[in-house]
Amino acid sequence: MTTCDKTRQVLARLDATLTQDLEAFYQDLHAHPELSFEEHRTAAEVSRRARALGYEVTEGVGRTGVVAKLVNSQGPTVLLRADFDALPVTERTGLPYASTNEGVMHACGHDAHVTCLLGAMALLAGARDQWSGSVLAVFQPAEEIGQGAQAMVDDNLYARFGTPDVILGQHVMSFPAGIVACHPGLAFAATDALKVRMFGRGSHASMPEAAIDPVVMAASTVMRLQTVVSREIASMDRAVVTVGALQAGTKDNVIPDEAELQLNIRTYTPQVRATVLGAVQRIVRGEATAAGAQQDPEISTMHTFPLMVNDEDACARTLAAIGDVIGHDRLTDRGASSGSEDVGVFGTSANVPVCYWLLGGIDPDTYRRAEAAGTRNRDIPQNHSPYFAPVMQPTLTNGVAVLTAAALAWLGPAAREA
């Protein structure tokens, strides 16, 4: 029996009963999102379900992370990773299972990641006669702030649970459900999130001559920052500089003392990163000087993400198995993403190959209509949008199937066949 045949036998267990259970669990997760390092309810639900499947479960790894391990004779160890934190976003999807936690939303699909991993765990646990080795399911906190993977590694992840042979994972995105995208090599950008405080001198709004206006100072800085990519980065290189927040003042007739900006920077090489960060420093300080500020601005780092590199050989092996299940015509390479991911930390910390792919989550007909009308950017909400709402099916069943197929591509043969 070929590996593909065995995989299809395992996937045959993804029946209506399991599918309905996973859908109900997904809706519950979506309705109860939790912020980074606050995922206590989520961790408890994941742990309860993993134990019921026969996995050995350890909670509190890297603060709120969960590790579930299933040993099935000797053989390779495959780490399957899902992140499970949400975002500080107020949901506007109108879904019947929308967030009940005001101001917090699963706006990036991490609830789908968790559901798909639990589904794959159920299939693998129920088909131990088809494979050998160990499944190491890692439910990671705090991906959104770039700290969760490192926290789990620093909590002696590999010393406690063993070093895997490969890291596998997936992320739901805003393209048609049923499609899987993977880019070997440099796959996700590095991120630097900065906080900038600019200091002026407050005054009455009717007497601006007595003030050093930090609002104007900040506004000039925002506009000048738009020239970093267009005028300092070569056309063949890539970078993104976004000012995501600008806060200053409390009242129309008061010129405040200070303003705060929050910047998000995406780069793909250490050289471009150094250029962009240097330009930001120069512009911020230069605008403060030009405005006559009597105190230097403060620039601090809120969080960072390293570059995420997919191992080319690992991707070839994994995608071959996925394509055998969903059809090779449903595999695509959308190029390197401007998004960032800390899943690579699991690989680089132990010199283990990583294969991380993207999972379509939008109703194919809805996507097709928007693309035909030229309204995709308007009508298809992206990750982190308050309207982001992956269609449950076929997203979940597809996610379970491809993650299971990927795991089986690395796990050993059944013990009786070894």
Side-chain angles (χ1 to χ4, degrees):
M1 185 182 298
T2 67
T3 301
C4 182
D5 291 334
K6 292 179 182 178
T7 300
R8 293 186 184 281
Q9 280 195 4
V10 175
L11 294 179
R13 299 170 183 262
L14 185 55
D15 57 14
T17 300
L18 178 56
T19 298
Q20 291 169 8
D21 180 61
L22 291 174
E23 289 177 357
F25 179 65
Y26 169 76
Q27 292 180 59
D28 180 72
L29 280 184
H30 191 88
H32 298 92
E34 297 172 297
L35 295 175
S36 302
F37 288 130
E38 297 178 9
E39 312 95 332
H40 303 291
R41 181 186 186 275
T42 305
E45 286 297 306
V46 164
S47 299
R48 179 179 64 81
R49 284 178 165 260
R51 286 193 181 98
L53 292 172
Y55 286 73
E56 181 180 348
V57 176
T58 304
E59 300 178 65
V61 181
R63 294 174 61 176
T64 50
V66 176
V67 175
K69 188 171 185 178
L70 182 65
V71 179
N72 187 33
S73 188
Q74 292 185 339
T77 296
V78 176
L79 190 155
L80 306 177
R81 177 266 201 175
D83 41 11
F84 60 20
D85 56 329
L87 285 159
V89 172
T90 298
E91 182 162 359
R92 297 195 178 111
T93 63
L95 291 169
Y97 51 90
S99 172
T100 59
N101 188 354
E102 182 65 28
V104 183
M105 177 190 173
H106 269 300
C108 201
H110 294 188
D111 45 352
H113 305 168
V114 172
T115 304
C116 292
L117 177 49
L118 280 166
M121 290 166 63
L123 293 181
L124 292 168
R128 277 172 273 194
D129 59 337
Q130 299 289 342
W131 58 273
S132 63
S134 297
V135 175
L136 192 63
V138 171
F139 296 88
Q140 180 206 309
E143 185 277 335
E144 295 293 356
I145 59 174
Q147 297 179 23
Q150 192 63 55
M152 296 190 83
V153 168
D154 291 345
D155 201 8
N156 298 313
L157 176 70
Y158 296 135
R160 295 166 67 183
F161 305 104
T163 302
D165 294 278
V166 69
I167 315 290
L168 303 174
Q170 58 190 1
H171 199 302
V172 67
M173 297 293 286
S174 292
F175 57 84
I179 301 296
V180 168
C182 184
H183 182 67
L186 177 57
F188 289 83
T191 292
D192 291 276
L194 306 179
K195 179 186 291 185
V196 176
R197 292 180 66 197
M198 307 191 80
F199 304 99
R201 183 172 62 238
S203 178
H204 197 288
S206 66
M207 295 179 284
E209 71 279 7
I212 298 174
D213 194 335
V215 177
V216 175
M217 192 190 312
S220 297
T221 301
V222 170
M223 295 306 297
R224 182 70 180 180
L225 287 171
Q226 307 311 304
T227 68
V228 173
V229 175
S230 65
R231 289 296 176 266
E232 301 196 40
I233 302 302
S235 58
M236 68 284 296
D237 293 324
R238 296 177 64 186
V240 179
V241 177
T242 297
V243 180
L246 195 168
Q247 299 173 338
T250 58
K251 200 173 186 300
D252 65 288
N253 63 350
V254 178
I255 296 174
D257 285 321
E258 65 178 83
E260 179 183 292
L261 291 76
Q262 293 185 24
L263 281 66
N264 191 276
I265 298 166
R266 309 287 172 126
T267 54
Y268 294 87
T269 68
Q271 295 78 14
V272 171
R273 178 175 181 265
T275 297
V276 173
L277 290 177
V280 169
Q281 292 267 353
R282 187 188 72 243
I283 288 169
V284 168
R285 298 188 188 285
E287 290 294 340
T289 299
Q294 296 171 340
Q295 181 178 345
D296 289 339
E298 295 178 359
I299 304 174
S300 58
T301 299
M302 294 186 292
H303 60 260
T304 64
F305 287 79
L307 290 168
M308 206 293 282
V309 180
N310 266 331
D311 183 87
E312 294 191 10
D313 291 338
C315 286
R317 178 173 174 175
T318 304
L319 293 175
I322 291 174
D324 286 343
V325 169
I326 67 169
H328 291 272
D329 61 326
R330 291 181 171 271
L331 297 177
T332 184
D333 184 343
R334 299 170 70 88
S337 171
S338 57
S340 295
E341 252 293 344
D342 67 352
V343 65
V345 171
F346 291 116
T348 56
S349 62
N351 196 27
V352 174
V354 175
C355 178
Y356 193 74
W357 60 88
L358 304 178
L359 186 72
I362 303 302
D363 176 75
D365 290 335
T366 300
Y367 190 92
R368 194 177 302 112
R369 286 194 298 269
E371 196 164 43
T375 58
R376 187 180 65 191
N377 287 339
R378 184 192 71 191
D379 295 341
I380 306 297
Q382 299 298 309
N383 302 63
H384 291 210
S385 162
Y387 300 98
F388 181 70
V391 61
M392 272 200 300
Q393 296 299 357
T395 305
L396 295 182
T397 52
N398 193 53
V400 172
V402 300
L403 191 57
T404 304
L408 289 169
W410 290 88
L411 291 166
R416 66 177 183 272
E417 300 174 2

